[in-house]
Amino acid sequence: MIRKMTYRLGRHMSVVASRTIQVRRFLHGAYFRIQPSVQEALMEGRPIVALESTIITHGMAYPHNLSMAREVEEIVTRNGAVPATVGIVRGRIHIGLTDEELQFLAGSKNVVKVSRRDLPYILSQGLSGGTTVSGTMIAAHKAGIPLFVTGGIGGVHRGGQDTLDVSADLTELGRTPVAVVSAGVKSIVDIGRTLEYLETQGVCVAAFGESREFPAFFSRQSGFQAPYRVRNEEEAAELIASALGLGLSSGVLIAVPCPQERAASGRAVEEAIQQALHEARLKGITGKEVTPFLLQKISDLTDGESLASNIALIQNNARVGSCIAVALSKLQKATRKKRLPRREDVIPPQPVVIGGINVDFIAKAQNSVILGGGQTNAGRVRRSFGGVGRNLADCLSRLGLTPLFLSAVGKDEHSESVLHYCHHMDMRAVLQLEGKNTATYCAVITSAGELSVGLGDMDIHGEITEQYVSKFKESLLRAPLVCVDGNVPLATLQYVCELAREHGLAVCYEPTDENKASKPFLSDSWKALTFISPNLQELRAINQTLGNPLPAEVPSTLEDVVKTAMALARPLLTQLRCVLVTLGTHGVLLCGKSLGGSVLLWPGAHDQSAATSLCAAHYPTIPIKREEIVNVSGAGDSLMAGIIAGMLANHDTDTCVRMGLLAANLSLRSYEPISPEISTRSVSLDQVKGRSWPEVKIWEMN
């Protein structure tokens, strides 16, 4: 809603002054932090392997735990995936750890083991800890990481039929859709009952390799058969993809036997395990204290051989798991390409959006003054995906309309990231051009949010030509509404307006920024438009282009703002159906024909003949605290998309505008330009009816 401010960094990238961090779109809030390398991989659809941290905090002594963690991450990287070690640092779940954070967890004495049950308390108290299999699965699933590698999972403890001592790892596998790659289950548990319990939980279990023999951590044989077998990484990836594609709420367990060369030492460790188990029973050690006792005792009995075997086993799992992650990523990319909607599969009518895609880089300095002279200034650099057309198409897609999107990107390092990020949209018609750069914008701002310098490479928007758009003439003529932003060339705008004039198309023009607002008003093309949605500065620029009188001063009070907006909109309503003036924190003003005390926004369900006089309706914003505003760059586009969704559903004007206000409010609270929380449930008629709204004020314009 608050998409246009007094100063502008360019419509394609407005910036919230208080913005200091950006996280993956579905992980907002105080509980999570995603390491930039992991965030980048998520956005680009690259393979990621989640790793637990309990093995660091409780599984090995320092410094072996630290060197092991580093080596495992290196193995994952070497095999083409991105490591994402999960841990809790001072009350926040970190998905991906820096080396300093690894050192902190490895060397700390008072960290705790954190499973599902522990998460609320540990986070609320600001404590640090290592995540178990259960805790890591939860974090991986929330981040959208489908695969997790560990040493071995827990199971039904021996005598568990009497004590009901069952690891939370098993129940987590039954309710969290993440694939776990491990060396089976720890041999200190009851393997037979563990497999039975996994079956009860609906967990698909498959042995990896040439045998169905279910491994028992240090031992390649347990005496039990896995229900299924996958021979290699590709088959494992197919299995995981099938489970994810079915939308099952349960996970998959891929059981990897320890390396053949470690089999002999594994047998010696297994004998030590049996002796350690016996001593634990004699000493009455139970619950979560069992595993640390056994690990230490086994290490003593084997003169440290168990540690070497443990490390080798984990490294082998990391190698296999990262290869599976790479195969899964390739499979998912191929599947996405196959599932792109074909023209004949799209059910008409489909809205069309024509406009720009931008990749935005925001460099925010730590200090209020940026040093010149070639000096390096400390700060944070973030990337996001914007562009007015892209934002509109994104939001409309989340609202169930999935418009045909006409735009252009280069074939460069940014285009794959853009297409992956926009996988929920109909991108089949977007041009990918060799030798061209995807539109990018870089803003350098001070710590106070003031623009120091902005650089833009927007030349590719000029490739959204009349010739390109005309190839989709049939789609344009069938569309219930065509939206065009100010990034497209003038000739393309004129072509769309000519189609509108000849065939009675409904066309909405989004001015984009003050400099581009006047494009269609340089000729009579604008008279074929149906709606425009400028802010006050853009509306002023449009009137200046048309030679209309302008107010001497920029208004500041709401009363003066409304009066000025009505005066500037009035001459445009001789041709346009409606002018939607966005007023920033003051809300939105609709100017158009009056019907029943309201503005006639969409004629689908109403009789236009009764609408003769003009009126303006002012809708205040949904109240939001300044500190709750995270990002303003897509709120105005969300507003417009919500209004359009309401119009195409033939809702009344009040409902349409309020759907737009709901969408805008969600995007203001999101780190992404268009909030992932926007959906047909969060922005709907029921949501509008379910809340109270500020009074709408109506003015006659005649």
Side-chain angles (χ1 to χ4, degrees):
M1 180 67 202
I2 313 174
R3 69 178 168 88
K4 289 152 184 174
M5 307 173 71
T6 304
Y7 72 94
R8 301 176 63 89
L9 304 186
R11 167 60 198 272
H12 51 278
M13 192 68 248
S14 301
V15 178
V16 171
S18 62
R19 178 175 180 178
T20 58
I21 188 168
Q22 176 176 352
V23 297
R24 178 71 179 142
R25 60 182 184 267
F26 39 76
L27 283 180
H28 308 312
Y31 298 131
F32 292 90
R33 176 195 174 276
I34 299 185
Q35 190 181 22
S37 63
V38 178
Q39 179 186 340
E40 189 89 2
L42 283 166
M43 296 176 77
E44 294 178 358
R46 289 189 279 129
I48 305 173
V49 173
L51 301 165
E52 64 155 296
S53 51
T54 294
I55 193 170
I56 302 171
T57 58
H58 292 79
M60 295 181 189
Y62 186 85
H64 301 294
N65 54 355
L66 179 60
S67 60
M68 178 276 304
R70 289 169 172 166
E71 289 165 6
V72 168
E73 289 198 345
E74 174 58 30
I75 289 170
V76 172
T77 302
R78 197 161 55 240
N79 283 279
V82 176
T85 303
V86 177
I88 299 179
V89 180
R90 300 179 183 90
R92 295 186 75 188
I93 299 172
H94 286 230
I95 300 173
L97 297 174
T98 65
D99 194 65
E100 291 76 12
E101 290 161 350
L102 280 175
Q103 292 183 54
F104 168 72
L105 289 178
S108 297
K109 301 296 184 183
N110 298 318
V111 291
V112 293
K113 290 177 69 173
V114 184
S115 188
R116 173 182 281 267
R117 70 161 191 183
D118 310 300
L119 280 169
Y121 181 79
I122 300 305
L123 298 187
S124 68
Q125 297 296 310
L127 303 178
S128 300
T131 52
T132 64
V133 170
S134 171
T136 307
M137 286 182 71
I138 292 169
H141 175 53
K142 295 235 177 238
I145 301 172
L147 188 137
F148 158 46
V149 166
T150 184
I153 66 168
V156 178
H157 283 257
R158 302 189 186 201
Q161 69 274 19
D162 300 317
T163 63
L164 300 181
D165 190 355
V166 179
S167 170
D169 298 351
L170 304 187
T171 51
E172 202 63 55
L173 273 161
R175 59 184 166 187
T176 302
V178 170
V180 177
V181 178
S182 79
V185 297
K186 299 180 177 73
S187 51
I188 59 177
V189 303
D190 187 325
I191 295 175
R193 285 192 169 89
T194 297
L195 287 170
E196 290 286 349
Y197 196 91
L198 287 169
E199 179 184 355
T200 301
Q201 292 292 312
V203 179
C204 184
V205 178
F208 183 88
E210 296 305 318
S211 170
R212 272 183 56 203
E213 180 77 24
F214 188 77
F217 206 57
F218 292 119
S219 175
R220 292 175 65 87
Q221 292 89 28
S222 66
F224 295 92
Q225 295 285 297
Y228 304 106
R229 174 175 69 95
V230 289
R231 290 173 296 180
N232 50 42
E233 292 87 355
E234 288 73 22
E235 287 192 4
E238 290 277 4
L239 173 63
I240 296 166
S242 295
L244 295 173
L246 286 169
L248 302 177
S249 60
S250 52
V252 172
L253 178 62
I254 305 294
V256 181
C258 71
Q260 185 68 51
E261 61 270 19
R262 282 283 169 181
S265 59
R267 285 192 292 272
V269 173
E270 191 62 37
E271 292 174 3
I273 288 172
Q274 299 308 317
Q275 183 177 340
L277 279 168
H278 179 68
E279 289 192 27
R281 285 193 293 270
L282 291 177
K283 293 182 178 181
I285 298 172
T286 60
K288 65 194 305 182
E289 303 303 322
V290 171
T291 300
F293 169 80
L294 292 176
L295 291 172
Q296 184 58 53
K297 188 65 180 177
I298 294 165
S299 180
D300 294 340
L301 290 171
T302 60
D303 293 325
E305 180 60 30
S306 65
L307 175 62
S309 295
N310 197 4
I311 292 174
L313 178 147
I314 294 162
Q315 291 174 341
N316 184 60
N317 290 351
R319 181 190 62 78
V320 173
S322 53
C323 290
I324 293 174
V326 170
L328 178 62
S329 177
K330 290 179 180 177
L331 184 62
Q332 289 174 325
K333 285 182 180 179
T335 302
R336 277 195 297 270
K337 289 180 180 179
K338 290 178 183 177
R339 290 179 179 174
L340 283 175
R342 297 172 301 172
R343 183 166 187 158
E344 59 268 25
D345 293 336
V346 179
I347 300 175
Q350 184 184 22
V352 177
V353 176
I354 309 170
I357 297 172
N358 296 334
V359 180
D360 298 310
F361 296 90
I362 304 302
K364 186 171 185 179
Q366 290 183 0
N367 301 318
S368 58
V369 177
I370 295 179
L371 302 176
Q375 299 186 62
T376 299
N377 292 263
R380 302 294 297 273
V381 180
R382 301 296 180 207
R383 181 182 74 167
S384 63
F385 299 106
V388 175
R390 195 216 67 85
N391 289 347
L392 281 170
D394 185 346
C395 194
L396 288 170
S397 297
R398 295 179 189 278
L399 293 174
L401 295 173
T402 316
L404 174 65
F405 184 35
L406 305 183
S407 190
V409 295
K411 278 195 175 179
D412 54 16
E413 66 273 19
H414 300 304
S415 57
E416 185 176 345
S417 300
V418 169
L419 296 174
H420 174 74
Y421 183 83
C422 301
H423 67 274
H424 60 290
M425 299 160 53
D426 184 355
M427 303 286 283
R428 62 190 165 96
V430 173
L431 287 173
Q432 284 189 269
L433 301 174
E434 293 279 5
K436 299 290 184 179
N437 297 327
T438 301
T440 53
Y441 176 75
C442 178
V444 180
I445 60 176
T446 67
S447 60
E450 297 176 355
L451 178 64
S452 176
V453 63
L455 297 172
D457 180 358
M458 305 292 174
D459 291 349
I460 198 166
H461 291 157
E463 301 298 327
I464 310 173
T465 62
E466 174 186 352
Q467 291 73 23
Y468 158 59
V469 172
S470 66
K471 294 178 181 179
F472 302 92
K473 181 178 179 180
E474 183 182 342
S475 296
L476 291 167
L477 296 180
R478 291 186 297 140
L481 182 67
V482 177
C483 300
V484 191
D485 79 19
N487 287 309
V488 305
L490 176 59
T492 305
L493 278 168
Q494 291 174 336
Y495 169 74
V496 173
C497 288
E498 186 60 31
L499 280 183
R501 179 181 292 108
E502 291 177 0
H503 301 279
L505 302 183
V507 178
C508 174
Y509 175 61
E510 229 303 345
T512 305
D513 65 33
E514 193 172 344
N515 294 325
K516 300 171 183 175
S518 298
K519 278 186 180 180
F521 296 88
L522 296 171
S523 67
D524 284 342
S525 295
W526 71 275
K527 295 180 180 180
L529 298 173
T530 312
F531 314 98
I532 62 171
S533 56
N535 67 6
L536 201 57
Q537 289 76 23
E538 292 163 352
L539 187 57
R540 182 186 176 97
I542 289 169
N543 275 271
Q544 187 173 24
T545 299
L546 293 174
N548 297 328
L550 301 175
E553 298 180 358
V554 177
S556 56
T557 67
L558 176 58
E559 182 179 358
D560 290 340
V561 166
V562 169
K563 286 181 179 179
T564 301
M566 286 195 295
L568 292 173
R570 180 65 182 83
L572 306 182
L573 292 172
T574 58
Q575 305 295 329
L576 304 181
R577 180 178 298 158
C578 186
V579 178
L580 297 88
V581 188
T582 57
L583 303 176
T585 55
H586 292 307
V588 60
L589 185 74
L590 264 65
C591 302
K593 292 182 178 180
S594 174
L595 181 67
S598 183
V599 176
L600 177 61
L601 187 59
W602 188 246
H606 305 285
D607 180 9
Q608 291 189 82
S609 61
T612 54
S613 62
L614 298 177
C615 72
H618 175 247
Y619 294 82
T621 58
I622 298 174
I624 182 172
K625 297 178 181 177
R626 177 182 290 272
E627 58 269 21
E628 294 175 334
I629 298 176
V630 178
N631 188 351
V632 301
S633 64
D637 303 322
S638 300
L639 167 73
M640 198 60 212
I643 292 174
I644 290 170
M647 290 193 303
L648 296 181
N650 284 325
H651 293 318
D652 62 82
T653 298
D654 285 354
T655 298
C656 293
V657 177
R658 286 164 179 166
M659 286 176 64
L661 292 171
L662 285 170
N665 187 262
L666 288 170
S667 288
L668 286 172
R669 301 171 187 272
S670 170
Y671 285 98
E672 302 295 338
I674 303 300
S675 171
E677 300 298 321
I678 293 174
S679 68
T680 54
R681 297 182 65 181
S682 62
V683 179
S684 64
L685 178 62
D686 288 341
Q687 288 292 329
V688 170
K689 289 181 176 180
R691 64 183 300 155
S692 59
W693 293 91
E695 178 187 0
V696 178
K697 294 185 178 179
I698 308 291
W699 292 269
E700 292 292 332
M701 293 182 65
N702 295 333

